[in-house]
Amino acid sequence: MERLVVLGVGLIGGSLSLAVRAAGVCSEIVGWGRSEKSLEQAKALGVIDRSETDLAAAVRGADVVVAAVPPGAMEAIFRELAGLLEPQTVF
C-alpha cells in the first residue's frame, strides 16, 4: 500500500496510523481533520506524514481510506466523500 488516509487523527486514528507505520506496510500516511492543531501535533509525534484539512485533497490518490471520526460525524463525512474516492480506493 502506498498511501493510507486516516480521517481523524485522535486516539483510534492515531493508534491505527502508528500500527501501520510499525508494520512497515505503507509508504505515506495522510491525516485529515478539521483542527490544524491536532494535525500538527500528529505530525510532530510521527503519527502521520502529511496533513490536510480539505477532504478532497486528503483522499486524492489514496489506496485506503479509514474513517476514525466520532459516530455522530460519520454521516456528514460519508456524504462529503461521495464522488471523491477513486475506483481503486478501499474505504
Side-chain angles (χ1 to χ4, degrees):
M1 165 175 40
E2 290 294 317
R3 182 175 295 149
L4 167 67
V5 177
V6 179
L7 307 178
V9 294
L11 182 60
I12 294 171
S15 296
L16 173 72
S17 297
L18 289 172
V20 167
R21 184 175 308 288
V25 296
C26 185
S27 300
E28 180 185 30
I29 301 173
V30 179
W32 172 88
R34 299 188 194 276
S35 165
E36 285 282 348
K37 183 179 177 182
S38 295
L39 293 168
E40 289 301 321
Q41 184 177 20
K43 278 198 292 190
L45 293 171
V47 174
I48 58 174
D49 299 307
R50 182 168 61 88
S51 65
E52 291 287 348
T53 55
D54 177 81
L55 190 57
V59 301
R60 190 173 300 118
D63 295 302
V64 176
V65 176
V66 175
V69 297
M74 285 191 178
E75 182 179 355
I77 298 298
F78 293 167
R79 287 185 191 280
E80 197 174 341
L81 274 174
L84 295 179
L85 299 178
E86 297 173 20
Q88 75 279 3
T89 304
V90 175
F91 176 69

